[in-house]
């Protein structure tokens, strides 16, 4: 359809707009349209939290105001991403159908309030959502302004009500078929917790069972599946009423309550809400952390994603709501595009007057004028994105990937030992990611269900749980010439969190050429060190600090490259390499400092002869690229407060930015080359 074709003929630029808050202020609505045009905004998201305005009483629908807003936006060449309103239900709905309100893990039912305080299992809630979604679809499915549907908002949370307990038991019975299989998978003979029937099973609770790790893990899987099923139910209501536009829903930063890969299966485009905490540490570190999330979102479907929300100024809900320094708004926006986003969108277009987010940053603040620092930078960013419209046809190509798996993380962080106060999984994965980026490579962030075969190097940090046949995938990957980098605390348990027998990392000891014997948990502040083995094949020469966890391994053919310097395991291997088939498998035995990862990965990348996007990348600079046919678009971004000297190739065409041998503070250079 025409709307779908229109979707990416330009970079989407805009954000959440809540005109229902301003219906009684027609002059403000008129002013907003004028200011959006000046800021080069070409799309807005409508209706996210508008249910009480759309259906003020049960069965009484008022869509006239929304239709008028959509018409006026279209007249001004501003397109619409139209949301379903299930993220926050009206008060009348909770009063008439109290069973839709969630029940906490302690079995207390919530009062009405806040957002996402509803049961995804409730037939009443599903029916009311179906009705309003169908009404919206019937009204707007053919409107030329509507280019996409936004399903609900930031799905999250769980419900422990009787309806959900019944659904959970059904889910378990479908998975395990009989109670004996479940008892074995959960190892319920421990503490004499054996079940005689599925009807005895309750969800985890602080008042009941929290120590049965298989139960905890399967509950999280069930919550993800139930959330995905509810979202699918919403989507079907739109589709069955004739809506053909693409569909998305907005994910959140490093969100551990859901496995987003499952939800991504149901949407046409992945999108997410990005709210980094800038200026607290070195901004380049924040940029790497943000970049990893961008790449995670892109890697779920291996195609362009959408930046659905970001803040043009300061948030209001972080511990310290700090404003962005000049240039950072643009830089952060361009970073999303550099990592594969085809949109830059803000929360919010106009700052609300009351409620929880009245001090959350916006394109148009309470003052309401265009002569503000934020509005000027929003306008500058919009103009730049218009100039980069050709980039929408390009995609990110990554020669390396970080394996980052949410289900493994659930199990690892729920397990007791070896450290119950900080396993630092996210931070460890980020070290690998950051090392690849510092060495000038695009990076995919994949999970165990995806194939590793398209990459030259796979980093698999702290892969505690092996599932989805990952052992065979990685074995085949190395056998066929790939390079695997694995770390301590990997291959410990199976998919139901039962410890593997016969040695770990499970079924990869032959690939890695070693077996893990013990793992030492270090106290906070306690350290050990890596020392290079004389004459090691990677020519590693420095020593490095390590902390938190130190794996003691027995070599079974692997060659040590570095060894521990301290404690009784002084001289034990700390970094190893093993040739297996046509490839190589490296094993990092401890939680080493970031500089180790940078130096080590640099040598591995050089050994594999992988060409970086840009040579000699200075500190504080991030480099990314997108490719379309024979054209590469390169983004060189400065995340420091000072100008930085950067050497660029000669055979390039600069598309954006001022370059005199340096890149200014919080600025970007975008160039293309063949």
């Amino acid at each position: 359809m025409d709307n779908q074709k229109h979707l990416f003929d330009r970079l989407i630029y805009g954000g959440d707009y809540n005109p229902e808050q301003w219906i009684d202020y027609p002059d403000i609505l008129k002013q907003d349209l004028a200011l959006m045009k000046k800021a080069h905004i070409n799309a807005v998201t409508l209706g996210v939290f508008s249910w009480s305005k759309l259906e003020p009483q049960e069965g009484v629908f008022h869509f006239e105001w929304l239709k008028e807003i959509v018409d006026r936006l279209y007249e001004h060449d501003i397109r619409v991403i139209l949301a379903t309103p299930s993220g926050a239900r009206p008060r009348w709905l909770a009063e008439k159908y109290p069973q839709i309100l969630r029940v906490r893990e302690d079995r207390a039912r919530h009062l009405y309030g806040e957002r996402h305080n509803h049961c995804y299992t409730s037939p009443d809630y599903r029916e009311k959502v179906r009705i309003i979604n169908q009404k919206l679809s019937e009204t707007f499915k053919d409107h030329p302004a509507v280019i996409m549907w936004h399903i609900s908002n930031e799905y999250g949370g769980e419900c422990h009500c009787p309806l959900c307990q019944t659904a959970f038991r059904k889910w378990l019975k479908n998975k395990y078929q009989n109670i004996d299989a479940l008892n074995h998978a959960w190892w319920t003979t421990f503490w004499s917790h054996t079940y005689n029937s599925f009807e005895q099973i309750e969800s985890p609770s602080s008042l009941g069972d929290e120590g049965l790790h298989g139960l905890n893990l399967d509950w999280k899987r069930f919550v993800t599946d139930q959330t995905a099923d509810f979202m699918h139910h919403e989507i079907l209501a739109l589709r069955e009423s004739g809506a053909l536009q693409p569909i998305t829903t907005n994910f959140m930063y490093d969100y551990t309550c859901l496995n987003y890969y499952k939800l991504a299966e149901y949407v046409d485009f992945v999108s997410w809400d990005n709210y980094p905490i800038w200026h607290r540490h070195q901004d380049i570190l924040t940029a790497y952390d943000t970049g990893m999330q961008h790449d995670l979102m892109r890697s779920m479907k291996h195609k362009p994603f959408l930046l659905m929300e970001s803040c043009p100024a300061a948030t209001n809900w972080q511990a310290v709501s700090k404003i962005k320094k000049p240039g950072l708004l643009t830089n952060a926006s361009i970073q999303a595009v550099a990592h594969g986003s085809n949109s830059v969108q803000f929360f919010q277009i106009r700052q609300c007057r009351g409620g929880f987010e009245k001090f959350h940053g916006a394109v148009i603040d309470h003052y309401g004028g265009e002569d503000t620092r934020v509005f000027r930078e929003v306008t500058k960013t919009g103009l730049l994105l218009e100039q980069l419209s050709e980039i929408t046809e390009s995609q990110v190509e990554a020669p390396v990937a970080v394996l980052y798996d949410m289900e493994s993380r659930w199990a690892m962080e729920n397990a007791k030992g070896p450290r119950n106060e900080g396993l630092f999984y996210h931070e460890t994965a980020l070290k690998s990611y950051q090392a690849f980026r510092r060495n000038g490579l695009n990076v995919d962030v994949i999970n165990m269900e995806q194939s590793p075969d398209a990459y030259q190097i796979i980093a698999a940090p702290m892969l505690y749980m092996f599932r989805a046949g990952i052992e065979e995938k990685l074995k085949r990957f190395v056998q066929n010439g790939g390079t695997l980098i694995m770390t301590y605390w990997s291959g410990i348990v199976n998919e139901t969190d039962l410890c593997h027998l016969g040695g770990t990392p499970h079924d990869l000891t032959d690939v890695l050429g070693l077996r893990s014997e013990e793992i030492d948990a270090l106290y906070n502040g306690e350290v050990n060190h890596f020392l290079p083995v004389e004459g090691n094949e990677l020519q590693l020469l420095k020593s490095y600090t390590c902390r938190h966890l130190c794996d003691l391994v027995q070599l079974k053919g692997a060659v040590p490259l570095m060894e521990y310097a301290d404690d009784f395991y002084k001289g034990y291997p700390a970094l190893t390499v093993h040739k297996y088939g046509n490839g190589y498998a490296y094993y990092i035995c401890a939680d080493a400092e970031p500089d180790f990862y940078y130096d080590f990965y640099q040598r591995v990348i050089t050994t594999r002869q992988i060409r970086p996007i840009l040579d000699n990348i200075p500190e504080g600079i991030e480099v990314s690229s997108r490719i379309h046919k024979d054209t590469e678009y390169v983004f060189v971004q400065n995340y420091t407060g000072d100008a930085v000297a950067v050497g660029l190739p000669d055979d390039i065409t600069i598309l954006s930015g001022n370059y005199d041998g340096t890149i200014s503070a919080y600025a970007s250079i975008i160039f293309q080359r063949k």
Side-chain angles (χ1 to χ4, degrees), residues 81-126:
I81 299 172
L82 192 58
T84 64
S86 67
R89 88 284 340 127
R91 191 174 295 273
W92 62 259
L93 184 53
E95 290 175 349
K96 184 169 182 180
Y97 305 96
Q99 71 274 21
I100 73 166
L101 296 175
R102 285 182 181 168
V103 172
R104 300 186 319 206
E105 55 82 22
D106 63 1
R107 306 323 191 231
R109 192 175 291 275
H110 284 271
L111 301 176
Y112 172 80
E114 304 302 331
R115 303 183 297 178
H116 282 294
N117 177 10
H118 42 258
C119 171
Y120 292 138
T121 306
S122 166
D124 289 329
Y125 194 62
R126 288 184 172 226

Side-chain angles (χ1 to χ4, degrees), residues 410-599:
W410 286 340
M412 177 168 51
E413 293 181 350
N414 182 61
K416 297 300 180 184
R419 277 180 60 96
N420 297 323
E421 296 180 0
L423 284 170
F424 303 101
Y425 173 65
H426 175 84
E427 293 81 358
T428 302
L430 185 58
K431 288 176 186 176
S432 286
Y433 176 86
Q434 181 176 304
F436 282 137
R437 280 283 171 193
R438 287 178 65 190
N439 281 292
L441 301 182
N442 288 332
V443 189
D444 280 353
V445 183
I446 62 175
N447 76 351
M448 281 190 262
E449 294 177 25
Q450 294 173 291
S451 171
D453 294 343
Y455 306 101
Q456 297 182 58
I457 304 174
I458 294 285
M462 297 183 74
L463 211 61
Y464 168 78
M465 172 189 289
F466 279 179
R467 66 181 192 89
I470 192 63
E471 305 98 317
E472 290 304 315
K473 291 177 185 177
L474 292 178
K475 184 173 292 191
R476 183 174 62 249
F477 170 74
V478 179
Q479 177 81 49
N480 292 338
T483 297
L484 171 66
I485 303 174
M486 187 161 268
T487 78
Y488 56 95
W489 210 229
S490 292
I492 309 299
V493 301
N494 70 3
E495 65 174 13
T496 62
D497 206 19
L498 293 185
C499 292
H500 286 297
L501 305 178
T504 60
H506 172 68
D507 215 24
L508 287 181
T509 54
D510 57 338
V511 176
L512 293 160
L514 54 77
R515 178 174 66 84
S516 173
E517 286 192 301
E518 297 180 88
I519 190 159
D520 189 18
L522 277 58
Y523 293 111
N524 290 342
E526 186 181 5
V527 299
N528 206 308
H529 296 86
F530 283 12
L531 294 179
V533 172
E534 185 175 352
N536 69 84
E537 64 184 59
L538 291 184
Q539 299 181 0
L540 294 162
L541 303 175
K542 300 178 185 176
S543 65
Y544 304 93
T545 300
C546 62
R547 61 189 76 236
H548 303 136
L549 293 170
C550 294
D551 198 1
L552 280 58
V553 303
Q554 183 182 118
L555 298 184
K556 300 286 186 179
V559 176
L561 302 174
M562 303 198 81
E563 59 188 24
Y564 289 115
D566 311 306
D567 213 329
F568 73 89
Y569 44 93
K570 176 181 178 179
Y572 273 61
L575 172 68
T576 67
V577 62
H578 185 238
K579 181 167 174 55
Y580 183 82
N582 295 318
Y584 290 87
Y586 294 89
Y587 192 80
I588 302 170
C589 297
D591 186 1
E593 62 180 287
D595 282 348
F596 160 76
Y597 281 85
Y598 172 71
D599 293 341

Side-chain angles (χ1 to χ4, degrees), residues 50-62 90 92 132:
S50 61
W51 196 338
S52 63
K53 200 73 175 178
L54 294 167
E55 190 181 5
Q57 301 175 50
E58 185 174 16
V60 178
F61 297 95
H62 292 296
W92 62 259
I132 196 163

Side-chain angles (χ1 to χ4, degrees), residues 299-317:
S299 300
M300 287 184 195
K301 298 184 83 70
H302 290 291
K303 68 179 187 179
F305 66 98
L306 299 175
L307 177 60
M308 186 57 70
E309 292 182 22
S310 59
C311 188
T315 65
N316 72 312
W317 47 266

